[in-house]
Amino acid sequence: MEITKKQFKFNWRRLLFSALVLYVVFLIGPIAGLDVPAIVANIQSNPSQLIQFLIIGISNGAIIAIIALGYTMVYGIIELINFAHGDVYMIGVFTSLTTLSLTGTLTSQDPVRIVLGLIFALVVSVVVCAVLNASIERLAYRRLRNAPRLAPLISAIGMSFIIENIGLIWAGQSWLVPLFGTTGGASQKSFPDMLGILVKLSGFNGGDVNLFASTPLFTQWRLTLNVKDLLVIVLAVSLMIGLYLFVQRTKLGKAMRATAQNRDAAKMLGIDIDWVITATFLIGGGLAGAAGLMAGLYNNTAWWFMGFRAGLQSFTAAVLGGIGNIQGAMLGGFLIGLLASFSDGYLNARWTNAWVFTVLVLILLFRPTGLLGENTTQKA
Amino acid sequence: MQPNIKTGITFGIIGGLLTFLFGGWSVAVIGCFMGIGLGLGFGGRIEKSTPFNMAKEASKPGFTAAGVLLIVSLIQNFVIQGLIGKSQAELNTFIFSNLIAFLGSAGLTCLVVSFGGYDKKKEQTYKLALLAAVVIAFPFVDNFTELRWTAQIIFALIFVILGLGLNIVVGYAGLLDLGYAAFFAIGAYTTGILSSPVHNTEWNFWLVIWIAAAMAGLWGLMLGAPTLPLRGDYLAIVTLGFGEIVPVLFKNLIDVTIKEPLTCWILPLFRIQTTCITFFEHADLTLGEKGISPIGRPYLPIIGEFESSKPITWYFLIVALILLSVFIINRLRDSRLGRAWMAIREDELAAAQMGIDPVKTKLAAFAMGAMFSGFAGAFYAAYIRGIFPSVFDFSASIIILCVVILGGIGNINGVIVGGLVLMTADRLFLPALKDFLTALLTHTVLPSISNPAVQAAVSANANPILYRFLLFGLTLVIMMAVRPEGLIPNAQVRAELHANEEKKG
């Protein structure tokens, strides 16, 4: 009880320090678009924009949360930042785009065929990414499980580089996917807006992608809630609920939690550690694959370097929620999505990554355990 | 087959493969380097005796290697050159270069091995003298043979300095810094801003290089102070983020307005009237993607201003900077601070119990490491005469990490060798391989493919430069799996990395 009292004791030094940090943020923030008077004026003149950014933020946050789950699960079990995870997601985008192209879905005029093609692409992307993630573990991390902490981290960075290069080569194969064009692998590729095409072809909602276009509330406030927003949110939330139930209710989920708590003890109780770790990587990779298709459909781009940026944002989300904590990663994902969306809208899109990073440093400064994380022991 | 002969053949084939790609006079230069390499590799493996006997022993692999090199060179000139549609070398040049290659490689092998016959002190002196001779002679030989390698070697040497700096952080203090290129960028941009006519501040290079180093060190302190108390993998991701942000920062610092927040809007919120203090208004610091160019160059009394058409002057400048860095880092390593770094790397808790302040010590490592990249950045900016934000991205940080890992964590010689091997592979070997493959394909395979789509796909993918990230990534993964202590390991690090294996066994 004494300890809790001490924690809640008012700390002048901490307050002063926080005020100083806040002051510095406001002092140099305007360089990166944090011009408070201008933002306030912006919101006052057009308040409905706020809701629009909220919708975009939640949709993007759903994708970030799905990727963050992969980081947090792996970290929870083997205490390793899987740097290659963001790049597995990038491979997911390319796999689904290639599958869509090879099955002829991209050029199809038949709505049923497009729906089937999308489902098939989702399955292929999930399977490819799951297997890729598990093989990364097998090839690069397993033999380093008892090595000093630095070794698997460096191996993970190397793996990330290798996969990025695979993406770069893949994006240059125009014979495989004609859509890539002849500009080489380094440029950003467009991912066709299949959902928009699907809505137009099927005549759903009168062929309008904006779901509530005819509702007076939406027309008055000039809001849009697109089919893709809804699909991404629904898919992401159902994946999260599924994962939560899996981890809480199934035997394998129980084994995962046991392994995360104490690997040696779990081993003694007859849990096959290697299989549990492989399963974790499979699930994380599968989620990244699903996120890949979702992000492709939502943002309509495919780029070999997108995995790095997404990885940084998702990792920040995982840390914000408390790394190793599944609900935390979901919460963090949505918060980072909102932050990114508001930064794009009100601050300056060029500086969004800088703001995400600033948030990461601030969390680590003030609450390294994250919002929902428990105090883990510090193992250097 | 005798092992001696086998070693000779291996070295001969490696040297020969390089000759394959470059052709012309390269055989002479490669032959001499091969001889020294073979001598160093072979010398450690034979029993100590008199210098003459040792040289005699070494002549077997030496001449085998020289013979293999000669055969490869003949094939290269008379078969491959024709196949890839290039003309053969002039007979005069060909005979001379091969003669030098043959005698040079065999002779240098014997010479280097014979050093082993003297006592320890003399051996060291002779080896250093040979090394100095090679370092000094290289640019002149390169100039004479028109290989134009010096400009690329200068890049390799820039990465050697960066590797030496990162080695303090990763190797000595055991902190994984994945955004080291950020400090490189800070050094380069400091130089750019302070010595470019674009900003009307043309300060002297000899002054700016110190300011750049100090600036990089200062940023190291500023980033390290909040993050170093964290555990190691959080540090890795924070530095990764920092490395990602800094190029973005330099790309976007084109319209800088800084106003003091208290007077400008916080106090007016409470209806207190103040005058707004403005520090900058719409200042363009970095010129964005266009980059800062031109940048002032160093000037010395006798040599005059350094020019990019004369890489020799730059070469000696960077060699001098490396020597200075090696001297400083050597002294640092053996100082109280250096020993504290290693103590922290081994066991932070125990070190703290012995009275070492972990955060302060780590911070010192971070700042010192950053300082050396400031040197490298200043040199780079002056050498290229222009700096662009895209140079300093994430991949640069990882390449520097590769240099340290490949050479050997915590070992100065290892880092130098690692930097030279990796960067010459990246900057000389891959482009040469690309030219070679392109020429080979256009003269052999491609005409026989009738389908234009397949033809385009083959020629687009047969570009080794596309696979350079794969090269670096594989370097990291394979080194970690097979030889985590690097090519030339530090005894202490090696023991630490293999400690767990012994425990298990």
Side-chain angles (χ1 to χ4, degrees), chain A residues 23 36 75 81 83 146 149 154 158 162 165 169 173 175 308-309 315 323 350-351 353-354 357 364-365, chain B residues 178 226 231 233-234 237-238 241-242 244-245 249 252-253 260 265 405 457 461 466-467 469-470 473 480 500:
Chain A
Y23 179 80
V36 180
Y75 195 91
I81 300 172
F83 281 109
N146 292 317
R149 274 190 95 96
I154 292 169
I162 292 173
N165 204 151
I169 304 289
Q173 308 304 324
W175 58 272
F308 177 75
R309 302 258 155 90
F315 182 79
I323 194 141
R350 286 186 304 188
W351 292 94
N353 273 326
F357 172 68
L364 292 179
L365 260 179
Chain B
L178 296 176
R231 47 199 289 173
D233 32 13
Y234 278 167
I237 202 96
V238 168
F242 185 66
E244 162 73 4
I245 295 312
L249 200 76
N252 294 334
L253 280 180
E260 208 278 332
W265 58 272
I405 302 291
N461 285 318
L466 266 182
Y467 301 89
F469 281 3
L470 203 68
M480 277 302 120
N500 280 330

Side-chain angles (χ1 to χ4, degrees), chain B residues 242-376:
Chain B
F242 185 66
E244 162 73 4
I245 295 312
V246 164
V248 176
L249 200 76
F250 285 127
K251 205 187 288 172
N252 294 334
L253 280 180
I254 45 177
D255 184 9
V256 181
T257 304
I258 297 183
K259 289 177 175 170
E260 208 278 332
L262 267 179
T263 55
C264 284
W265 58 272
I266 295 178
L267 291 178
L269 274 184
F270 304 102
R271 305 284 160 92
I272 301 168
Q273 289 305 316
T274 50
T275 43
C276 182
I277 303 168
T278 307
F279 297 109
F280 284 104
E281 195 128 43
H282 303 297
D284 188 346
L285 285 178
T286 59
L287 287 87
E289 306 255 14
K290 277 183 298 176
I292 302 176
S293 170
I295 289 168
R297 299 184 146 164
Y299 175 88
L300 276 183
I302 301 161
I303 302 160
E305 190 166 283
F306 286 36
E307 282 167 40
S308 47
S309 57
K310 288 184 203 144
I312 291 185
T313 46
W314 293 100
Y315 173 82
F316 284 111
L317 176 61
I318 188 90
V319 168
L321 278 177
I322 288 181
L323 285 180
L324 180 73
S325 308
V326 168
F327 175 74
I328 296 175
I329 292 172
N330 243 327
R331 303 303 301 157
L332 267 178
R333 186 193 56 196
D334 297 338
S335 72
R336 191 184 167 82
L337 184 63
R339 282 176 286 134
W341 286 336
M342 281 171 236
I344 290 223
R345 183 189 65 197
E346 304 294 330
D347 191 336
E348 194 173 327
L349 212 62
Q353 286 302 307
M354 299 304 286
I356 295 170
D357 183 341
V359 174
K360 267 187 196 159
T361 314
K362 284 185 195 171
L363 209 54
F366 221 64
M368 295 272 182
M371 230 178 64
F372 285 99
S373 70
F375 276 131

Side-chain angles (χ1 to χ4, degrees), chain B residues 422-445:
Chain B
L422 206 63
M423 292 316 290
T424 43
D426 182 33
R427 295 209 143 240
L428 280 175
F429 185 76
L430 284 184
L433 191 66
K434 184 203 168 194
D435 292 344
F436 179 76
L437 270 182
T438 315
L440 193 68
L441 283 175
T442 43
H443 284 88
T444 54
V445 182

